[in-house]
Amino acid sequence: MGYMNVLSLFFIQTVLLLVLVAETKAKVPAIIVFGDSSVDTGNNNVISTLLKSNFKPYGRDFEGGLPTGRFCNGRVPPDFISEAFGLKPTIPAYLDPQYSISDFATGVCFASAGTGYDNATSDVLNVIPLWKELENYKDYQNKLRAYVGHRKAREIIRESLYVMSLGTNDFLENYYSFRSTRRSQFTVRQYQDFLVGLARDFITELYRLGARKLSLNGVPPMGCLPLERATNIMGQYECLQEYNDVSMEFNGKLEGMASQLKRELPGFKMVFTSTTYDAFSQIIRNPAEYGFEATSVACCATGMYEMGYACAQNSLLTCSDADKYVFWDSFHPTQKTNQILADYVVKHVLYKFM
Ligand SMILES: *[C@@H]1O[C@H](CO)[C@@H](O)[C@H](O)[C@H]1NC(C)=O
């Protein structure tokens, strides 16, 4: 073999090796989800809470028209994110007995509607507290090791993209609720700091358990949720500025904590995203640009705003085309909004992990 041939062979091998390395590096084997109803794909179906959505009209635009326990007419953002990463189009709930570790190995959801960073928040609606989501995740790790072996499990745990989305319930279902004791213990700023500390502890523990890629999502403009707008009678049902300010301030604190953690934890690729805030605000300011006709009322009306977290079973007050609505029920976006939010976060932030 001539000198040039050896050189070019070496060159080709190097290029191939680099391509291979780049491929293994860029790969996300699974999306692993923690949080509340913004990302729950059905865990509440199997626990004893009243906060469920496994009945019609939920899931009306889901494949097969199935109510899955997603608080939506269709899919939620992690489903779209999974698809964008070339993984499956829906992420199964860890507690759903229809699925097993062979499904969860490529994506799993531990989220529980109604939960928050604060233990007292999950108590309000008797849902899965965040510490318990982490216990379930540890259980998942054990099952994963038994299923794919220790080496492969370590790789999946390290290379997966972890998505966290919660916080709204801490404020709206807990702190600002008339039943809450938190308001006598904390000013709202102190409560934000308390929650950020809990988020920090949770993420540090997740890192200690092997996670290296994490997307932490902030809260939406809480004052623009139809549930809250409905209470703004004096303000012509406009968004409640006070709650939006709390959202923005809280997101700022989460972002600060995230950049600090990124510096402290070696090899930790963590991003904070205020997508839900930014994209939501854009949509609400300019709904027509996205094809929306209604922003302040939900497609599925509850008829009882004072407790209307979810829409009523077999509600007759449901709109015919959910794609024209930003909100599905008084607390949760429609599938179309969820897709816009997911596209936005993939395009602006998560592409770094691809
Ligand atoms: C939340 O509850 C768990 C389980 O009881 C406990 O281990 C944890 O310390 C609690 N967190 C806080 C901040 O009280």
Side-chain angles (χ1 to χ4, degrees), residues 155-197:
E155 184 189 313
I156 293 173
I157 289 161
R158 188 185 58 230
E159 301 300 332
S160 286
L161 174 63
Y162 294 77
V163 173
M164 279 176 73
S165 174
L166 68 163
T168 305
N169 295 305
D170 291 307
F171 295 100
L172 299 186
E173 295 298 305
N174 185 359
Y175 189 83
Y176 286 114
S177 146
F178 66 91
R179 300 182 294 274
S180 178
T181 55
R182 287 304 191 206
R183 238 179 324 165
S184 57
Q185 298 170 284
F186 299 109
T187 66
V188 72
R189 298 227 157 98
Q190 288 168 338
Y191 191 58
Q192 290 169 341
D193 295 336
F194 173 67
L195 298 179
V196 169

Tab-separated table of all heavy atoms in Angstrom, residues 155-197:
chain	number	residue	atom	x	y	z
A	155	GLU	N	-25.492	4.336	31.140
A	155	GLU	CA	-25.450	5.188	29.952
A	155	GLU	C	-26.806	5.876	29.725
A	155	GLU	O	-26.869	7.075	29.450
A	155	GLU	CB	-25.067	4.330	28.743
A	155	GLU	CG	-24.893	5.130	27.473
A	155	GLU	CD	-24.742	4.208	26.258
A	155	GLU	OE1	-23.948	3.242	26.350
A	155	GLU	OE2	-25.438	4.443	25.256
A	156	ILE	N	-27.881	5.106	29.842
A	156	ILE	CA	-29.218	5.696	29.649
A	156	ILE	C	-29.470	6.788	30.683
A	156	ILE	O	-29.956	7.878	30.356
A	156	ILE	CB	-30.312	4.594	29.721
A	156	ILE	CG1	-30.183	3.635	28.526
A	156	ILE	CG2	-31.712	5.213	29.760
A	156	ILE	CD1	-31.097	2.425	28.585
A	157	ILE	N	-29.101	6.508	31.930
A	157	ILE	CA	-29.310	7.477	33.005
A	157	ILE	C	-28.518	8.758	32.762
A	157	ILE	O	-29.017	9.866	32.951
A	157	ILE	CB	-28.930	6.834	34.368
A	157	ILE	CG1	-29.968	5.779	34.746
A	157	ILE	CG2	-28.774	7.892	35.457
A	157	ILE	CD1	-29.493	4.779	35.785
A	158	ARG	N	-27.311	8.596	32.261
A	158	ARG	CA	-26.429	9.749	32.040
A	158	ARG	C	-26.834	10.552	30.804
A	158	ARG	O	-26.790	11.780	30.807
A	158	ARG	CB	-24.990	9.252	31.899
A	158	ARG	CG	-23.935	10.356	31.854
A	158	ARG	CD	-22.552	9.780	31.589
A	158	ARG	NE	-22.522	9.041	30.347
A	158	ARG	CZ	-22.031	7.795	30.208
A	158	ARG	NH1	-21.534	7.165	31.244
A	158	ARG	NH2	-22.053	7.192	29.031
A	159	GLU	N	-27.192	9.866	29.730
A	159	GLU	CA	-27.425	10.545	28.456
A	159	GLU	C	-28.862	11.018	28.243
A	159	GLU	O	-29.137	11.760	27.309
A	159	GLU	CB	-27.031	9.632	27.290
A	159	GLU	CG	-25.572	9.170	27.291
A	159	GLU	CD	-24.587	10.332	27.214
A	159	GLU	OE1	-24.946	11.377	26.647
A	159	GLU	OE2	-23.472	10.192	27.754
A	160	SER	N	-29.786	10.573	29.083
A	160	SER	CA	-31.189	10.972	28.906
A	160	SER	C	-31.377	12.451	29.182
A	160	SER	O	-30.605	13.058	29.928
A	160	SER	CB	-32.089	10.168	29.846
A	160	SER	OG	-32.228	8.863	29.378
A	161	LEU	N	-32.420	12.993	28.580
A	161	LEU	CA	-32.784	14.381	28.861
A	161	LEU	C	-33.879	14.384	29.932
A	161	LEU	O	-34.943	13.798	29.744
A	161	LEU	CB	-33.289	15.066	27.590
A	161	LEU	CG	-33.826	16.480	27.785
A	161	LEU	CD1	-32.740	17.427	28.272
A	161	LEU	CD2	-34.441	17.000	26.485
A	162	TYR	N	-33.579	15.043	31.047
A	162	TYR	CA	-34.545	15.166	32.140
A	162	TYR	C	-35.298	16.483	31.978
A	162	TYR	O	-34.676	17.516	31.744
A	162	TYR	CB	-33.821	15.119	33.496
A	162	TYR	CG	-33.185	13.772	33.740
A	162	TYR	CD1	-32.002	13.419	33.104
A	162	TYR	CD2	-33.797	12.831	34.570
A	162	TYR	CE1	-31.429	12.166	33.288
A	162	TYR	CE2	-33.230	11.578	34.767
A	162	TYR	CZ	-32.055	11.253	34.118
A	162	TYR	OH	-31.506	10.013	34.294
A	163	VAL	N	-36.605	16.406	32.073
A	163	VAL	CA	-37.442	17.596	31.923
A	163	VAL	C	-38.231	17.799	33.218
A	163	VAL	O	-38.891	16.873	33.702
A	163	VAL	CB	-38.411	17.431	30.730
A	163	VAL	CG1	-39.399	18.590	30.667
A	163	VAL	CG2	-37.636	17.318	29.416
A	164	MET	N	-38.136	18.998	33.774
A	164	MET	CA	-38.885	19.323	34.999
A	164	MET	C	-39.809	20.494	34.739
A	164	MET	O	-39.380	21.517	34.220
A	164	MET	CB	-37.919	19.751	36.107
A	164	MET	CG	-37.251	18.624	36.828
A	164	MET	SD	-36.067	19.289	38.012
A	164	MET	CE	-37.180	19.946	39.277
A	165	SER	N	-41.075	20.356	35.139
A	165	SER	CA	-42.017	21.447	34.957
A	165	SER	C	-43.042	21.449	36.090
A	165	SER	O	-43.909	20.576	36.151
A	165	SER	CB	-42.724	21.292	33.606
A	165	SER	OG	-43.744	22.256	33.476
A	166	LEU	N	-42.908	22.396	36.987
A	166	LEU	CA	-43.850	22.533	38.108
A	166	LEU	C	-43.674	23.898	38.788
A	166	LEU	O	-42.809	24.668	38.377
A	166	LEU	CB	-43.676	21.398	39.116
A	166	LEU	CG	-42.404	21.281	39.969
A	166	LEU	CD1	-42.665	20.341	41.152
A	166	LEU	CD2	-41.220	20.737	39.174
A	167	GLY	N	-44.493	24.163	39.789
A	167	GLY	CA	-44.389	25.417	40.530
A	167	GLY	C	-45.696	26.195	40.603
A	167	GLY	O	-45.973	26.860	41.598
A	168	THR	N	-46.508	26.078	39.555
A	168	THR	CA	-47.766	26.838	39.517
A	168	THR	C	-48.683	26.486	40.692
A	168	THR	O	-49.271	27.365	41.319
A	168	THR	CB	-48.508	26.566	38.188
A	168	THR	OG1	-47.634	26.870	37.105
A	168	THR	CG2	-49.753	27.410	38.073
A	169	ASN	N	-48.772	25.192	41.003
A	169	ASN	CA	-49.664	24.781	42.091
A	169	ASN	C	-49.205	25.289	43.461
A	169	ASN	O	-50.024	25.504	44.346
A	169	ASN	CB	-49.764	23.254	42.145
A	169	ASN	CG	-50.422	22.688	40.903
A	169	ASN	OD1	-51.528	23.085	40.554
A	169	ASN	ND2	-49.731	21.786	40.233
A	170	ASP	N	-47.881	25.447	43.617
A	170	ASP	CA	-47.382	25.965	44.891
A	170	ASP	C	-47.991	27.326	45.191
A	170	ASP	O	-48.326	27.629	46.333
A	170	ASP	CB	-45.856	26.069	44.863
A	170	ASP	CG	-45.190	24.699	44.852
A	170	ASP	OD1	-45.520	23.884	45.743
A	170	ASP	OD2	-44.365	24.441	43.955
A	171	PHE	N	-48.159	28.121	44.140
A	171	PHE	CA	-48.741	29.451	44.332
A	171	PHE	C	-50.267	29.413	44.302
A	171	PHE	O	-50.927	29.889	45.207
A	171	PHE	CB	-48.219	30.413	43.259
A	171	PHE	CG	-46.734	30.660	43.388
A	171	PHE	CD1	-45.825	29.996	42.583
A	171	PHE	CD2	-46.253	31.536	44.356
A	171	PHE	CE1	-44.459	30.210	42.713
A	171	PHE	CE2	-44.890	31.746	44.510
A	171	PHE	CZ	-43.987	31.083	43.690
A	172	LEU	N	-50.830	28.836	43.245
A	172	LEU	CA	-52.276	28.976	43.044
A	172	LEU	C	-53.116	28.006	43.877
A	172	LEU	O	-54.210	28.350	44.306
A	172	LEU	CB	-52.616	28.837	41.557
A	172	LEU	CG	-51.973	29.896	40.644
A	172	LEU	CD1	-52.496	29.748	39.229
A	172	LEU	CD2	-52.212	31.307	41.171
A	173	GLU	N	-52.618	26.799	44.079
A	173	GLU	CA	-53.407	25.829	44.851
A	173	GLU	C	-53.027	25.843	46.326
A	173	GLU	O	-53.752	25.322	47.162
A	173	GLU	CB	-53.215	24.414	44.293
A	173	GLU	CG	-53.730	24.218	42.889
A	173	GLU	CD	-55.229	24.438	42.784
A	173	GLU	OE1	-55.992	23.792	43.528
A	173	GLU	OE2	-55.635	25.286	41.962
A	174	ASN	N	-51.861	26.393	46.624
A	174	ASN	CA	-51.394	26.387	48.005
A	174	ASN	C	-51.276	27.804	48.567
A	174	ASN	O	-52.169	28.268	49.268
A	174	ASN	CB	-50.063	25.615	48.073
A	174	ASN	CG	-49.543	25.439	49.478
A	174	ASN	OD1	-50.145	25.903	50.434
A	174	ASN	ND2	-48.425	24.765	49.605
A	175	TYR	N	-50.220	28.518	48.217
A	175	TYR	CA	-49.940	29.808	48.868
A	175	TYR	C	-51.130	30.778	48.853
A	175	TYR	O	-51.490	31.343	49.869
A	175	TYR	CB	-48.720	30.473	48.217
A	175	TYR	CG	-48.243	31.691	48.968
A	175	TYR	CD1	-47.408	31.563	50.072
A	175	TYR	CD2	-48.661	32.971	48.594
A	175	TYR	CE1	-46.985	32.682	50.784
A	175	TYR	CE2	-48.246	34.096	49.300
A	175	TYR	CZ	-47.402	33.937	50.386
A	175	TYR	OH	-47.001	35.041	51.095
A	176	TYR	N	-51.744	30.926	47.691
A	176	TYR	CA	-52.833	31.898	47.581
A	176	TYR	C	-54.214	31.323	47.906
A	176	TYR	O	-55.213	32.032	47.806
A	176	TYR	CB	-52.859	32.515	46.179
A	176	TYR	CG	-51.736	33.509	45.970
A	176	TYR	CD1	-50.722	33.272	45.053
A	176	TYR	CD2	-51.692	34.692	46.712
A	176	TYR	CE1	-49.684	34.181	44.871
A	176	TYR	CE2	-50.654	35.601	46.546
A	176	TYR	CZ	-49.660	35.340	45.624
A	176	TYR	OH	-48.645	36.245	45.457
A	177	SER	N	-54.245	30.053	48.299
A	177	SER	CA	-55.526	29.457	48.644
A	177	SER	C	-55.941	29.896	50.057
A	177	SER	O	-55.093	30.071	50.936
A	177	SER	CB	-55.402	27.936	48.574
A	177	SER	OG	-56.220	27.334	49.546
A	178	PHE	N	-57.242	30.026	50.251
A	178	PHE	CA	-57.706	30.509	51.567
A	178	PHE	C	-57.393	29.518	52.684
A	178	PHE	O	-57.330	29.873	53.838
A	178	PHE	CB	-59.209	30.836	51.526
A	178	PHE	CG	-60.083	29.621	51.310
A	178	PHE	CD1	-60.579	28.915	52.398
A	178	PHE	CD2	-60.401	29.192	50.018
A	178	PHE	CE1	-61.379	27.799	52.205
A	178	PHE	CE2	-61.194	28.076	49.819
A	178	PHE	CZ	-61.679	27.374	50.918
A	179	ARG	N	-57.169	28.254	52.316
A	179	ARG	CA	-56.880	27.241	53.332
A	179	ARG	C	-55.412	27.220	53.757
A	179	ARG	O	-55.055	26.574	54.694
A	179	ARG	CB	-57.210	25.835	52.806
A	179	ARG	CG	-58.616	25.603	52.415
A	179	ARG	CD	-58.813	24.160	51.949
A	179	ARG	NE	-58.095	23.858	50.712
A	179	ARG	CZ	-58.565	24.084	49.486
A	179	ARG	NH1	-59.747	24.619	49.340
A	179	ARG	NH2	-57.868	23.770	48.426
A	180	SER	N	-54.574	27.885	52.983
A	180	SER	CA	-53.132	27.704	53.149
A	180	SER	C	-52.603	28.307	54.444
A	180	SER	O	-53.036	29.375	54.879
A	180	SER	CB	-52.407	28.346	51.975
A	180	SER	OG	-51.022	28.213	52.138
A	181	THR	N	-51.654	27.605	55.057
A	181	THR	CA	-50.974	28.160	56.227
A	181	THR	C	-49.669	28.831	55.808
A	181	THR	O	-49.038	29.517	56.600
A	181	THR	CB	-50.632	27.057	57.253
A	181	THR	OG1	-49.862	26.049	56.578
A	181	THR	CG2	-51.881	26.442	57.843
A	182	ARG	N	-49.268	28.601	54.557
A	182	ARG	CA	-47.980	29.132	54.093
A	182	ARG	C	-47.935	30.655	54.134
A	182	ARG	O	-46.886	31.249	54.333
A	182	ARG	CB	-47.685	28.655	52.659
A	182	ARG	CG	-47.310	27.179	52.552
A	182	ARG	CD	-46.144	26.852	53.432
A	182	ARG	NE	-45.584	25.529	53.182
A	182	ARG	CZ	-44.925	24.821	54.076
A	182	ARG	NH1	-44.765	25.294	55.315
A	182	ARG	NH2	-44.417	23.648	53.772
A	183	ARG	N	-49.103	31.297	53.920
A	183	ARG	CA	-49.112	32.747	53.866
A	183	ARG	C	-48.856	33.394	55.229
A	183	ARG	O	-48.422	34.522	55.307
A	183	ARG	CB	-50.417	33.267	53.273
A	183	ARG	CG	-50.108	34.108	52.053
A	183	ARG	CD	-51.301	34.666	51.363
A	183	ARG	NE	-52.440	33.755	51.387
A	183	ARG	CZ	-53.667	34.127	51.108
A	183	ARG	NH1	-53.928	35.381	50.813
A	183	ARG	NH2	-54.637	33.255	51.117
A	184	SER	N	-49.132	32.629	56.302
A	184	SER	CA	-48.808	33.182	57.617
A	184	SER	C	-47.340	32.931	57.969
A	184	SER	O	-46.804	33.529	58.891
A	184	SER	CB	-49.732	32.588	58.680
A	184	SER	OG	-49.614	31.179	58.660
A	185	GLN	N	-46.696	32.015	57.223
A	185	GLN	CA	-45.286	31.715	57.498
A	185	GLN	C	-44.325	32.515	56.631
A	185	GLN	O	-43.209	32.808	57.046
A	185	GLN	CB	-45.008	30.227	57.235
A	185	GLN	CG	-45.782	29.274	58.114
A	185	GLN	CD	-45.620	27.841	57.601
A	185	GLN	OE1	-46.220	27.457	56.607
A	185	GLN	NE2	-44.775	27.076	58.279
A	186	PHE	N	-44.739	32.784	55.390
A	186	PHE	CA	-43.826	33.395	54.418
A	186	PHE	C	-44.479	34.578	53.714
A	186	PHE	O	-45.660	34.513	53.397
A	186	PHE	CB	-43.493	32.397	53.292
A	186	PHE	CG	-42.805	31.126	53.712
A	186	PHE	CD1	-43.486	29.907	53.687
A	186	PHE	CD2	-41.465	31.123	54.081
A	186	PHE	CE1	-42.855	28.716	54.032
A	186	PHE	CE2	-40.817	29.940	54.421
A	186	PHE	CZ	-41.509	28.735	54.398
A	187	THR	N	-43.681	35.616	53.411
A	187	THR	CA	-44.131	36.573	52.399
A	187	THR	C	-43.972	35.848	51.065
A	187	THR	O	-43.302	34.809	51.000
A	187	THR	CB	-43.233	37.829	52.370
A	187	THR	OG1	-41.922	37.433	51.924
A	187	THR	CG2	-43.145	38.483	53.734
A	188	VAL	N	-44.548	36.396	50.001
A	188	VAL	CA	-44.478	35.668	48.728
A	188	VAL	C	-43.030	35.554	48.239
A	188	VAL	O	-42.622	34.539	47.673
A	188	VAL	CB	-45.427	36.264	47.661
A	188	VAL	CG1	-44.929	37.609	47.150
A	188	VAL	CG2	-45.600	35.280	46.506
A	189	ARG	N	-42.220	36.564	48.528
A	189	ARG	CA	-40.796	36.507	48.130
A	189	ARG	C	-40.067	35.418	48.904
A	189	ARG	O	-39.248	34.688	48.358
A	189	ARG	CB	-40.119	37.853	48.389
A	189	ARG	CG	-40.735	38.966	47.571
A	189	ARG	CD	-39.675	39.827	46.889
A	189	ARG	NE	-40.243	40.502	45.742
A	189	ARG	CZ	-40.666	41.776	45.775
A	189	ARG	NH1	-40.573	42.494	46.891
A	189	ARG	NH2	-41.179	42.323	44.692
A	190	GLN	N	-40.355	35.344	50.210
A	190	GLN	CA	-39.731	34.294	51.017
A	190	GLN	C	-40.177	32.918	50.547
A	190	GLN	O	-39.399	31.969	50.528
A	190	GLN	CB	-40.112	34.462	52.504
A	190	GLN	CG	-39.447	35.643	53.173
A	190	GLN	CD	-40.072	35.959	54.535
A	190	GLN	OE1	-41.215	35.587	54.816
A	190	GLN	NE2	-39.318	36.643	55.377
A	191	TYR	N	-41.443	32.830	50.167
A	191	TYR	CA	-41.954	31.540	49.683
A	191	TYR	C	-41.255	31.149	48.379
A	191	TYR	O	-40.879	29.994	48.183
A	191	TYR	CB	-43.476	31.606	49.502
A	191	TYR	CG	-44.106	30.250	49.251
A	191	TYR	CD1	-43.956	29.209	50.168
A	191	TYR	CD2	-44.834	30.003	48.090
A	191	TYR	CE1	-44.521	27.961	49.933
A	191	TYR	CE2	-45.416	28.755	47.855
A	191	TYR	CZ	-45.252	27.738	48.784
A	191	TYR	OH	-45.806	26.492	48.549
A	192	GLN	N	-41.048	32.122	47.488
A	192	GLN	CA	-40.297	31.842	46.248
A	192	GLN	C	-38.918	31.284	46.575
A	192	GLN	O	-38.489	30.285	45.993
A	192	GLN	CB	-40.119	33.138	45.429
A	192	GLN	CG	-41.391	33.668	44.817
A	192	GLN	CD	-41.187	35.070	44.256
A	192	GLN	OE1	-40.241	35.776	44.603
A	192	GLN	NE2	-42.104	35.483	43.388
A	193	ASP	N	-38.236	31.919	47.542
A	193	ASP	CA	-36.886	31.464	47.914
A	193	ASP	C	-36.931	30.052	48.497
A	193	ASP	O	-36.059	29.229	48.220
A	193	ASP	CB	-36.256	32.424	48.930
A	193	ASP	CG	-36.027	33.804	48.324
A	193	ASP	OD1	-35.917	33.896	47.084
A	193	ASP	OD2	-35.972	34.786	49.092
A	194	PHE	N	-37.952	29.794	49.308
A	194	PHE	CA	-38.144	28.461	49.888
A	194	PHE	C	-38.289	27.419	48.771
A	194	PHE	O	-37.631	26.375	48.786
A	194	PHE	CB	-39.378	28.502	50.794
A	194	PHE	CG	-39.827	27.174	51.344
A	194	PHE	CD1	-39.049	26.463	52.250
A	194	PHE	CD2	-41.068	26.634	50.959
A	194	PHE	CE1	-39.484	25.233	52.756
A	194	PHE	CE2	-41.506	25.420	51.468
A	194	PHE	CZ	-40.708	24.717	52.368
A	195	LEU	N	-39.116	27.742	47.778
A	195	LEU	CA	-39.335	26.800	46.664
A	195	LEU	C	-38.058	26.602	45.841
A	195	LEU	O	-37.737	25.479	45.443
A	195	LEU	CB	-40.459	27.300	45.745
A	195	LEU	CG	-41.855	27.443	46.343
A	195	LEU	CD1	-42.827	27.977	45.288
A	195	LEU	CD2	-42.372	26.125	46.910
A	196	VAL	N	-37.340	27.684	45.612
A	196	VAL	CA	-36.108	27.580	44.827
A	196	VAL	C	-35.102	26.679	45.557
A	196	VAL	O	-34.419	25.867	44.936
A	196	VAL	CB	-35.508	28.977	44.538
A	196	VAL	CG1	-34.101	28.866	43.969
A	196	VAL	CG2	-36.397	29.732	43.558
A	197	GLY	N	-35.057	26.783	46.891
A	197	GLY	CA	-34.197	25.898	47.685
A	197	GLY	C	-34.595	24.436	47.521
A	197	GLY	O	-33.741	23.557	47.379
